[in-house]
Structures are given as structure tokens and as C-alpha cells.
Amino acid sequence: MPTHHDTAAVTAALDALVAAWNHHDADAYGRLFTEDATYATYVGTLYQGRGDITESHRVLFTGFLKDTRLADEVVGIRFLGPDTAVVSGRGDTYRKKRPRRLGKVQTYTLIRQGDGMWRIAAFHNTRRRPLMEAVSFRLAPGLVPAAGRA
């Protein structure tokens, strides 16, 4: 059964991910993933393996995402066993002021590896579309997630 320490360790791994992003350190960012990790971006690009994830972020940190910061919010952590955790969250990148509403929905699958470290084995990022979501909820109220029902 997972302990408070396990939850703290998973959260610390995600905090380290944010710190690596905020320092634009692609190597530190990549080390937080397993060797065979998968990484799906919100535009649909699928990176496979730590090397691919590291190198793509090296390019992003010096190009499209130069000088950005990462905002991340854990919505929930579910342990699927003693060494596997699925984290649901929200996130976004920003340059000046952290956005009030984070525009991406994210899912991380972390595993505890032989060295005791929790690393990300899979990451999926999708853009949240609040207007489309609101319209669909209005037209079909049964689509509202249980957590969002009053």
C-alpha cells in the first residue's frame, strides 16, 4: 500500500520537472523520464524515449518556448500498485504572469525504478477547450464530470 512518503516522492518528481523547465535545463528535464518513456504533446507529436524527449526540449527551450515558465497543478494521484502512480493534473506555459486558469489537461504515469527514484514513464498533454466544454455541458448535462456537478 502506498504511503505518505510515496505521495510526497511522486509530487517531488513533478516539482523537479517544473524546476528543470523553469531553468531551461533539457538534460535535467530528460533525467526525470524513464529510458523508454513516451511523451504526447497537445499538438499530437509523440516522442519515444528519454533521448528524444531531452533533445526535443533542448530545441524548445532555445526556440518556441524560450524564456517560458511552467505552471503545474496536481488534481489527483492514484497508485496502481506499490511502484506505479497515475497523476491527473493541469498545466500551462507562460512568460510573465502565471495564468489563473491552466489551459492543458495532463496525465503522467510514474514508476519507481530500481534505484528508488520515481520517473515518468508516460506523459500525455491535451489542450482544454473551455468554450466547447461549456457548450457540450449545456447541450448534454450528463457529460459534466461528477467532480463538477453542484
Side-chain angles (χ1 to χ4, degrees):
M1 193 56 114
T3 66
H4 173 71
H5 176 73
D6 294 324
T7 300
V10 166
T11 302
L14 297 178
D15 290 345
L17 189 75
V18 171
W21 184 291
N22 291 345
H23 287 101
H24 307 104
D25 187 338
D27 294 313
Y29 191 83
R31 281 192 298 272
L32 297 164
F33 292 85
T34 63
E35 283 291 333
D36 61 348
T38 57
Y39 191 107
T41 72
Y42 81 91
V43 297
T45 305
L46 180 64
Y47 295 102
Q48 297 186 322
R50 179 186 290 157
D52 208 15
I53 294 164
T54 301
E55 293 311 312
S56 66
H57 282 79
R58 191 178 317 285
V59 172
L60 288 168
F61 291 155
T62 59
F64 294 127
L65 298 174
K66 184 178 182 176
D67 299 326
T68 60
R69 297 186 59 78
L70 183 63
D72 191 60
E73 173 185 303
V74 172
V75 174
I77 301 175
R78 264 185 359 198
F79 288 90
L80 304 180
D83 299 319
T84 306
V86 174
V87 178
S88 300
R90 298 196 192 285
D92 222 328
T93 57
Y94 65 100
R95 284 197 164 75
K96 293 182 181 175
K97 185 177 177 187
R98 179 186 166 108
R100 280 186 327 113
R101 285 187 167 171
L102 302 181
K104 297 175 185 157
V105 177
Q106 303 168 324
T107 305
Y108 300 88
T109 302
L110 290 92
I111 60 171
R112 182 181 1 230
Q113 297 201 290
D115 62 1
M117 295 294 299
W118 285 89
R119 289 191 180 81
I120 302 162
F123 172 73
H124 186 98
N125 192 18
T126 190
R127 181 165 292 285
R128 187 168 184 216
R129 306 269 189 221
L131 179 59
M132 290 178 68
E133 187 178 60
V135 169
S136 68
F137 291 171
R138 183 145 176 108
L139 295 174
L143 293 175
V144 177
R149 295 182 198 143

